[in-house]
Amino acid sequence: MRAQGPEPVRIAMWSGPRNISTAMMRSFGNRPDTHVVDEPFYAAYLAMTGIDHPMREEVIAAGETDWRKVVEQLTGPLPDGRTVLYQKHMTHHMLPEIGTDWLDAMVNAFLIRRPENVLASYVRKREAVTFDDIGFARQGELFDRVADRLGAAPPVVDAHDILCDPRGVLSVLCERLGVAFSEAMLSWPRGFRTTDGVWGAHWYEAVAASTGFAPPGPEIADLPPHLLPIAEKARPIYESLARYRIRGRDAAA
């Protein structure tokens, strides 16, 4: 009889777009014990909303449009030899029609970034943007759901903090997630991955050229006037989650 290995750790990382989420997926994907999944609800989101996104038809054709089947995949067996499943999720993909009970089987964490920086990066890839496109409202709702179930705040990491101190922040994050920190998380080979979503051809140019976390840019980006109302609407949600963000060990000391 085959011996049962340890129960896998299933990490659901919830963020909005343009939030170093793909760099974080690279970081975890470079661990030898980890399998990564890239935005598994994207095809379902596009099919259910009819929204126009870059490479819309390719994303739908390549993905699963039935959210229940996506959940089955996320809760199913891991590839042989892998004990950690890292799921990169966009919060705005989680439409009200998509059930959330499966979150209770995950270790949920939240990746945040100042809305000004999110918007400045987003419009370089897709000029049209609304408040719903950047996922802040849904991120706040999911955070509250997880916190209510746990009776405490789940792990929160800020993109700027990670870029300033990758080793320090990631080592504390891993401790909170229940996995050992690995030095392999700090650098990775250049290029695209078979685990990247098909949309990576449009969105992932910078991370495909990277070999590690980039130095941080301005803490708060300048925005054109037409984007300021979106940033102002998102800012209270960002600030409410930022109260719980993880600092590196030296910063926390």
Side-chain angles (χ1 to χ4, degrees):
M1 185 174 179
R2 185 177 177 181
Q4 293 292 320
E7 278 295 311
V9 178
R10 301 175 190 274
I11 300 165
M13 182 63 77
W14 298 99
S15 79
R18 315 311 292 172
N19 200 3
I20 76 162
S21 57
T22 309
M24 285 288 284
M25 183 174 69
R26 285 285 186 276
S27 175
F28 276 85
N30 208 45
R31 297 170 57 105
D33 61 353
T34 300
H35 178 65
V36 299
V37 178
D38 192 9
E39 301 184 28
F41 291 99
Y42 195 3
Y45 166 77
L46 293 178
M48 294 167 75
T49 62
I51 194 170
D52 185 26
H53 266 214
M55 302 185 67
R56 169 187 161 81
E57 297 307 320
E58 293 92 334
V59 174
I60 291 175
E64 176 55 68
T65 58
D66 184 338
W67 69 264
R68 295 170 184 83
K69 292 182 179 178
V70 176
V71 171
E72 289 177 6
Q73 294 167 2
L74 297 178
T75 55
L78 271 62
D80 285 347
R82 306 300 174 89
T83 57
V84 178
L85 177 64
Y86 182 89
Q87 306 162 19
K88 172 196 167 192
H89 290 292
M90 294 290 104
T91 56
H92 60 288
H93 293 172
M94 296 300 293
L95 299 167
E97 305 95 307
I98 296 177
T100 56
D101 287 349
W102 62 275
L103 270 67
D104 297 347
M106 306 291 141
V107 180
N108 295 281
F110 293 80
L111 173 62
I112 61 174
R113 191 183 189 190
R114 290 185 182 275
E116 294 86 355
N117 299 52
V118 170
L119 288 162
S121 179
Y122 190 98
V123 295
R124 289 197 289 268
K125 290 292 186 178
R126 181 174 181 252
E127 186 174 351
V129 59
T130 68
F131 174 69
D132 288 339
D133 288 331
I134 58 174
F136 278 78
R138 193 61 171 136
Q139 188 175 45
E141 292 168 357
L142 293 170
F143 177 88
D144 289 344
R145 183 200 184 283
V146 174
D148 287 346
R149 182 180 65 83
L150 295 176
V156 177
V157 284
D158 188 294
H160 187 78
D161 294 338
I162 294 169
L163 296 179
C164 287
D165 182 14
R167 178 181 280 102
V169 175
L170 291 176
S171 63
V172 179
L173 173 63
C174 285
E175 187 177 288
R176 293 282 305 277
L177 296 174
V179 298
F181 172 72
S182 170
E183 290 288 328
M185 300 175 70
L186 300 178
S187 61
W188 48 81
R190 196 184 310 271
F192 290 94
R193 305 286 186 274
T194 58
T195 48
D196 291 344
V198 65
W199 53 89
H202 178 83
W203 295 97
Y204 293 177
E205 180 182 359
V207 80
S210 73
T211 57
F213 290 102
E219 190 165 3
I220 305 179
D222 291 329
L223 288 180
H226 73 283
L227 295 178
L228 292 176
I230 301 175
E232 290 167 3
K233 188 174 181 179
R235 191 175 301 112
I237 302 169
Y238 165 80
E239 290 174 350
S240 69
L241 269 66
R243 291 182 296 154
Y244 302 103
R245 72 189 195 271
I246 289 170
R247 307 287 192 143
R249 295 194 186 280
D250 290 343

